[in-house]
Amino acid sequence: MSNLFEEFVDLDELADDISSDDPSRRRVAVLALADSGVPEAVSLLSRLVRDPDANVRRQVAIGLGTFDGPIVAENLVALVRDADTGVATAAADSLAELKDPASAPRLVDALADPSPFVRGAVLRSLKELRSPHAWGPALEALKDSDASVRVQAVGVIGYLKREDTVPALQAVAKDSDPLVRRAAVAALGFSRTAGAGATLARAVTDSDWVVRESAAETLGISKADAIDVTPLIEALGDDYWQVRLKAVRSLGQRAVGEAALRIAQSLTHPEPNLRKEAAAALGQIARPETRPFLEEAALDPDADVRKNVRWALSRLDAAASESQPS
């Protein structure tokens, strides 16, 4: 459905307004241009990219986010470079909303910018575009001196889901920064290679808990042909309940029967989210030896835990019925 405002927008009048000496009048004009939705509005908004008033420039950055295409991308990159933090942040958010793959070449050119903030914002935008133009530059950005840029580069590669990027992701899984390692192991979930699975299994024992948590979670959805679940089972004793929770979830997703009794021990953990996840995993695994633990947990003080316990017990009942001779 077309925007009804388009029928009434007067671009000539708005062109006069954006030339006004009054910044409040220019801001109102920017709002009207953004609401109009007409492609011609982009050229008028572009005239205000270097407006002397930061509030106007910020509104332009927001307004450009309602449009798309290479010209919009070029102007938003200019605004990401703005000295005003509010303007730059608004422009970075609008960049991330771009959907036209034709914008990718303009964005790639900006990866040579000296500012890590700009490079990171550009990579964040390229991730959403999933453009083949981004592949090579993103691989190069994995070597960036700034960790936040490397994190965004991993995101681009993870979205592209190309098996030929797995060696690079495996290398970054050893990065000195834990946030980069966490992003790398999360990105490896798409790969069917045994190498990706082995990297994830090793990452469950990483020195930083946020990496262990990410690896434990990704192993549950990993497409790798061969997965060693031993590190996941061992992660049930991790010092951080967040890691235990993801390990429990993944063991349930993979229906690892030998982990059932270890998972059952989490039904008495102080953290209700972990107890809830343990009950759900036991329902997925459906091993009869866990029934006493589940029956005891049926009186858990947390309603969500009790709900999952009831479901798990129903799964055990169904499995028992199916095993009965007809």
Side-chain angles (χ1 to χ4, degrees):
M1 181 181 296
S2 62
N3 189 333
L4 293 178
F5 187 76
E6 292 180 24
E7 299 178 15
F8 306 105
V9 65
D10 187 333
L11 291 179
D12 290 334
E13 181 179 340
L14 291 176
D16 290 337
D17 288 343
I18 66 172
S19 300
S20 170
D21 292 335
D22 183 356
S24 63
R25 186 177 170 187
R26 298 199 300 274
R27 287 199 299 274
V28 171
V30 170
L31 287 170
L33 288 167
D35 286 344
S36 73
V38 297
E40 295 82 2
V42 172
S43 61
L44 294 178
L45 289 171
S46 300
R47 289 164 52 181
L48 296 174
V49 167
R50 291 178 174 80
D51 191 274
D53 188 278
N55 290 323
V56 173
R57 298 197 304 276
R58 180 178 177 276
Q59 201 61 58
V60 170
I62 296 171
L64 284 171
T66 63
F67 298 92
D68 212 336
I71 300 301
V72 172
E74 186 173 303
N75 282 300
L76 285 174
V77 167
L79 288 163
V80 168
R81 291 170 170 144
D82 199 279
D84 186 276
T85 302
V87 176
T89 300
D93 290 341
S94 290
L95 264 182
E97 297 299 318
L98 292 178
K99 303 300 180 188
D100 185 1
S103 302
R106 303 284 181 96
L107 294 173
V108 166
D109 290 342
L111 288 176
D113 195 278
S115 166
F117 178 82
V118 173
R119 298 196 301 274
V122 167
L123 285 165
R124 179 182 165 201
S125 179
L126 285 169
K127 178 179 73 173
E128 299 297 330
L129 297 182
R130 304 186 186 213
S131 167
H133 291 285
W135 177 60
L139 284 176
E140 187 64 26
L142 291 177
K143 298 179 284 187
D144 197 279
S145 59
D146 190 276
S148 66
V149 177
R150 298 198 298 277
V151 168
Q152 295 297 338
V154 169
V156 174
I157 294 168
Y159 264 51
L160 291 174
K161 293 180 169 56
R162 291 179 50 157
E163 289 286 3
D164 54 355
T165 63
V166 169
L169 289 173
Q170 288 179 282
V172 180
K174 301 176 183 177
D175 193 274
S176 59
D177 189 280
L179 297 182
V180 179
R181 299 199 301 276
R182 179 179 69 174
V185 298
L188 281 168
F190 76 89
S191 176
R192 296 186 177 276
T193 65
T199 298
L200 290 173
R202 284 194 298 271
V204 179
T205 63
D206 192 273
S207 60
D208 196 287
W209 77 268
V210 298
V211 182
R212 300 197 301 274
E213 179 190 30
S214 180
E217 180 177 28
T218 306
L219 277 171
I221 59 174
S222 172
K223 302 295 190 299
D225 294 328
I227 292 290
D228 179 10
V229 298
T230 302
L232 274 178
I233 297 175
E234 293 175 350
L236 295 175
D238 197 276
D239 291 338
Y240 287 81
W241 68 263
Q242 295 92 333
V243 178
R244 293 189 189 189
L245 186 150
K246 296 302 171 57
V248 163
R249 179 182 298 170
S250 291
L251 288 166
Q253 289 170 326
R254 307 193 79 87
V256 180
E258 60 266 36
L261 290 177
R262 287 285 304 277
I263 293 173
Q265 296 174 16
S266 293
L267 290 172
T268 59
H269 193 277
E271 173 54 48
N273 284 326
L274 178 53
R275 301 198 304 274
K276 179 175 69 173
E277 203 69 51
L282 292 176
Q284 291 172 304
I285 296 171
R287 291 289 286 260
E289 62 267 30
T290 63
R291 182 180 291 275
F293 300 93
L294 287 165
E295 290 177 341
E296 187 173 347
L299 299 176
D300 193 279
D302 187 279
D304 289 333
V305 176
R306 295 196 302 272
K307 178 181 177 181
N308 281 1
V309 167
R310 289 193 299 271
W311 175 77
L313 286 169
S314 71
R315 290 268 298 167
L316 288 179
D317 291 340
S321 296
E322 291 173 3
S323 65
Q324 292 295 325
S326 57

